[in-house]
């Protein structure tokens, strides 16, 4: 059970606050925000998702820049509360269409009604968008998504020449469009978060993919859907139904949403389901089979005198030129006695910025986009406050990287087709199948 639930903006403004049990002091939101903002314990930069202050347990997740927080004095499962916070955020997004500070403020009556149905006296009742439709009667006030900063993973699909409808991923699943019409469409997102560790010589030490097939349905009448995956898909290392080593997709394990029927899955890798309202994960999977990493990182560190050194960072994109990665950030810890860094970008470099974070002695290189097949290089000249007394490569690094690559997935898992049971010969809803790869932990040792 939880005692309180609240949502804070990045400035610490209290947008939503619900006290279910009266066990925790009223100023808990202020206490939480001050603790998170000035967190400096154990050398960590950010507060952990769970911590305790004066006997009160604080749980929080950050969703599109908003802090979703729960408090309790009871000894509850952290994973349960963190999952609850994520689900509450998802339910609110399903109802409002857009999840941000503006939409929460405009729809506070609906949000409080949802919270009263989701949690009763601190105990969870349901987080199902479909079940909540029977109990929640307020209509959402639509927020213009066109002028908002796109922050959700789905927003990356709005880029490029083939644009989807402007309101496609920012609609409420319970409200009709103006005029009472409802656009029949369904979204399937294959989202993969990859973790790779390279040795100092460039070899892959560890590699893993955490993936999910996410679905959001705007289909009226909840028709049956068939989702076909790769025919050469194998589950588990002991599954040799496919020709091993000939390009087969081999997943270590996976799990499915309760609405998925697996009657024909072993035969033709087809999932059958009647999608509930709202956004939900059709399938979660994990893969540790070696895959081709999208980026290679090469680092060269050379001493250039008693108080100087030079770092050369090279990032190579090893995916097709038809694909473009965006929001790339490369970071590298420098020796603690580094006092100044002079950067040198390659000639004609556009959309690139560099920075030396003096507080934690960290080099940061941001690239707006990288086209597949290209290489980018950064030179950084370091100045130290004392002479070197050891191996500089042991005091600098490792290099870490974050990125997002739309329309690309490292596992090669694919949705071959998406079949919707027809109500009539004229029924032809829009189908959107999209892919995205993001960095979970992408590290190269120096």
């Amino acid at each position: 059970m939880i005692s309180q639930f609240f949502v804070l903006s990045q400035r610490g403004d209290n947008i939503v606050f619900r006290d279910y049990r009266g066990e925790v002091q009223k100023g808990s939101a202020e206490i939480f925000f001050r603790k998170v903002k000035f967190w400096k314990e154990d050398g960590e930069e950010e507060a952990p998702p769970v911590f305790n202050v004066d006997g009160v347990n604080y749980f929080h997740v950050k969703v599109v820049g908003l802090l979703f927080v729960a408090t309790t004095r009871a000894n509850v499962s952290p994973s349960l509360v963190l999952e609850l916070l994520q689900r509450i955020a998802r339910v609110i997004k399903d109802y409002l269409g857009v999840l941000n500070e503006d939409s929460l403020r405009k729809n506070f009556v609906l949000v409080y009604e949802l919270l009263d149905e989701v949690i009763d006296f601190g105990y969870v009742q349901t987080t199902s968008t479909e079940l909540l439709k029977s109990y929640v009667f307020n209509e959402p006030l639509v927020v213009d998504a066109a002028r908002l900063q796109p922050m959700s993973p789905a927003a990356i699909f709005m880029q490029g020449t083939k644009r989807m409808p402007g309101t496609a991923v920012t609609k409420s699943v319970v409200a009709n469009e103006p005029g009472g019409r409802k656009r029949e469409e369904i979204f399937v997102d294959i989202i993969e978060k990859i973790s790779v560790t390279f040795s100092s010589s460039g070899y892959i030490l560890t590699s893993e993919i955490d993936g999910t097939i996410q679905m959001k349905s705007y289909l009226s009448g909840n028709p049956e859907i068939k989702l076909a995956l790769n025919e050469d898909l194998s589950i588990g290392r002991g599954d040799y139904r496919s020709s091993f080593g000939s390009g087969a997709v081999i997943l270590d394990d996976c799990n499915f949403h309760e609405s998925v029927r697996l009657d024909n899955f072993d035969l033709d890798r087809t999932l059958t389901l009647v999608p509930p309202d709202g956004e939900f994960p059709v399938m979660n999977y994990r893969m540790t089979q070696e895959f081709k990493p999208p980026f290679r990182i090469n680092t060269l560190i050379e001493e250039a005198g008693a108080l100087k050194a030079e770092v050369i960072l090279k990032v190579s994109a090893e995916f097709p030129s038809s694909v473009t990665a965006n929001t790339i950030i490369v970071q590298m810890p420098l020796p603690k006695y580094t006092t100044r860094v002079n950067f040198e970008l390659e000639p004609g470099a556009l959309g690139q910025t560099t920075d030396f974070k003096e507080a934690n002695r960290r080099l940061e290189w941001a690239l707006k986009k990288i086209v597949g097949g290209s290489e980018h290089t950064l030179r950084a000249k370091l100045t130290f406050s004392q002479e070197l007394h050891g191996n500089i490569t042991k005091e600098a690094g490792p290099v870490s990287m974050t990125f997002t690559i739309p329309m690309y997935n490292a596992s090669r898992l694919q949705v071959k087709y998406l079949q919707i049971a027809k109500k009539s010969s004229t029924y032809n809803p829009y189908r959107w199948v999209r892919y995205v790869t993001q960095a979970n932990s992408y590290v190269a040792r120096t």
Side-chain angles (χ1 to χ4, degrees):
M1 64 181 177
I2 64 172
S3 298
Q4 297 171 330
F5 169 82
F6 48 90
V7 181
L8 302 181
S9 70
Q10 291 179 323
R11 304 180 304 277
D13 296 339
N14 208 330
I15 305 170
V16 176
F17 186 90
R18 206 80 178 90
D19 193 334
Y20 293 101
R21 303 180 64 86
E23 298 173 337
V24 178
Q25 65 268 36
K26 294 293 183 184
S28 56
E30 179 68 20
I31 294 169
F32 164 80
F33 186 71
R34 286 185 176 275
K35 191 72 175 173
V36 167
K37 188 175 181 181
F38 302 107
W39 188 273
K40 292 293 179 188
E41 291 185 14
D42 300 325
E44 296 178 14
E45 294 178 35
E46 292 188 353
V50 184
F51 58 86
N52 184 287
V53 179
D54 297 330
V56 177
N57 298 313
Y58 291 86
F59 306 81
H60 77 281
V61 296
K62 187 177 283 188
V63 184
V64 292
L66 298 172
L67 290 164
F68 284 70
V69 190
T71 67
T72 181
R73 290 187 180 275
N75 184 17
V76 297
S77 165
S79 57
L80 184 148
V81 180
L82 295 175
E83 176 67 19
L84 171 63
L85 293 174
Q86 292 281 5
R87 291 199 181 193
I88 290 175
R90 185 183 299 166
V91 166
I92 293 174
K93 184 175 183 290
D94 283 343
Y95 270 79
L96 305 188
V98 180
L99 181 58
N100 62 19
E101 184 176 344
D102 192 23
S103 65
L104 286 175
R105 291 190 187 280
K106 284 189 175 180
N107 291 278
F108 72 94
V109 175
L110 172 58
V111 172
Y112 277 99
E113 188 180 9
L114 281 168
L115 291 175
D116 285 341
E117 297 298 340
V118 170
I119 301 171
D120 183 21
F121 197 57
Y123 293 93
V124 183
Q125 303 303 303
T126 181
T127 56
S128 165
T129 301
E130 195 165 23
L131 288 177
L132 285 166
K133 284 175 72 176
S134 306
Y135 305 105
V136 176
F137 300 104
N138 275 291
E139 286 287 325
L141 298 173
V142 179
V143 175
D144 182 13
R147 61 184 177 83
L148 301 175
Q149 179 75 17
M151 301 184 76
S152 65
I156 59 176
F157 300 107
M158 304 303 239
Q159 302 167 1
T161 53
K162 289 189 176 180
R163 286 178 177 267
M164 287 183 295
T167 59
V169 229
T170 55
K171 294 189 304 181
S172 167
V173 298
V174 297
N176 289 329
E177 294 182 5
R181 294 176 297 105
K182 184 172 181 180
R183 183 182 170 96
E184 298 283 331
E185 55 191 343
I186 186 167
F187 295 88
V188 179
D189 297 334
I190 294 85
I191 302 169
E192 295 188 344
K193 295 186 177 181
I194 62 178
S195 300
V196 181
T197 304
F198 297 96
S199 69
S200 55
S201 52
Y203 290 104
I204 297 175
L205 300 176
T206 61
S207 60
E208 183 174 313
I209 297 174
D210 282 310
T212 183
I213 300 177
Q214 198 86 1
M215 184 177 286
K216 191 165 189 178
S217 172
Y218 294 99
L219 303 177
S220 59
N222 299 92
E224 185 178 86
I225 289 173
K226 287 189 176 180
L227 197 71
L229 306 177
N230 310 49
E231 291 183 359
D232 60 356
L233 173 66
S234 298
I235 312 295
R237 294 284 179 170
D239 184 357
Y240 293 100
R241 66 182 293 281
S242 305
S243 51
F244 185 86
S246 60
V249 178
I250 304 173
L251 307 180
D252 288 56
D253 49 60
C254 62
N255 58 64
F256 302 92
H257 189 266
E258 58 190 16
S259 65
V260 176
R261 296 205 313 274
L262 303 171
D263 305 348
N264 298 319
F265 186 66
D266 287 336
L267 296 174
D268 56 11
R269 294 312 193 208
T270 301
L271 306 175
T272 306
L273 68 150
V274 175
D277 289 327
E279 192 173 340
F280 68 99
V282 176
M283 170 181 167
N284 296 308
Y285 58 91
R286 186 173 61 94
M287 173 179 166
T288 56
Q289 179 195 13
E290 193 169 307
F291 57 88
K292 185 178 181 181
F295 290 102
R296 288 277 177 183
I297 307 170
N298 295 103
T299 309
L300 179 63
I301 306 175
E302 293 181 331
E303 294 183 23
L307 296 172
K308 293 184 181 294
E310 186 174 27
V311 174
I312 301 174
L313 288 174
K314 181 185 286 185
V315 173
S316 307
E318 302 199 335
F319 45 86
S321 58
S322 58
V323 175
T324 301
N326 54 43
T327 58
I328 304 101
I329 297 177
V330 181
Q331 293 185 325
M332 179 181 180
L334 301 176
K336 59 180 179 293
Y337 40 80
T338 306
T339 56
R340 192 170 71 249
V341 181
N342 293 321
F343 296 101
E344 184 182 321
L345 290 167
E346 54 200 349
L350 296 173
Q352 299 185 29
T353 59
T354 55
D355 194 11
F356 171 49
K357 306 287 187 182
E358 291 189 51
N360 51 13
R361 300 291 189 271
R362 186 182 297 270
L363 173 157
E364 190 173 286
W365 178 25
L367 301 93
K368 193 172 182 180
K369 64 178 183 178
I370 295 180
V371 178
S374 64
E375 285 186 352
H376 296 274
T377 305
L378 171 70
R379 291 176 179 269
K381 295 180 179 179
L382 316 182
T383 303
F384 304 127
S385 60
Q386 64 182 61
E387 289 191 26
L388 301 173
H389 296 290
N391 188 347
I392 186 175
T393 57
K394 290 183 179 180
E395 298 188 52
V399 179
S400 60
M401 191 174 181
T402 60
F403 52 81
T404 298
I405 314 177
M407 304 316 295
Y408 173 86
N409 69 331
S411 70
R412 303 191 312 278
L413 180 72
Q414 290 185 326
V415 173
K416 292 297 184 182
Y417 66 81
L418 180 61
Q419 192 177 74
I420 302 170
K422 288 192 174 183
K423 303 175 188 176
S424 64
S425 56
T426 58
Y427 183 67
N428 189 24
Y430 292 90
R431 303 166 177 84
W432 305 99
V433 178
R434 311 167 304 180
Y435 299 85
V436 63
T437 293
Q438 297 173 321
N440 189 22
S441 172
Y442 210 85
V443 177
R445 296 177 181 172
T446 54

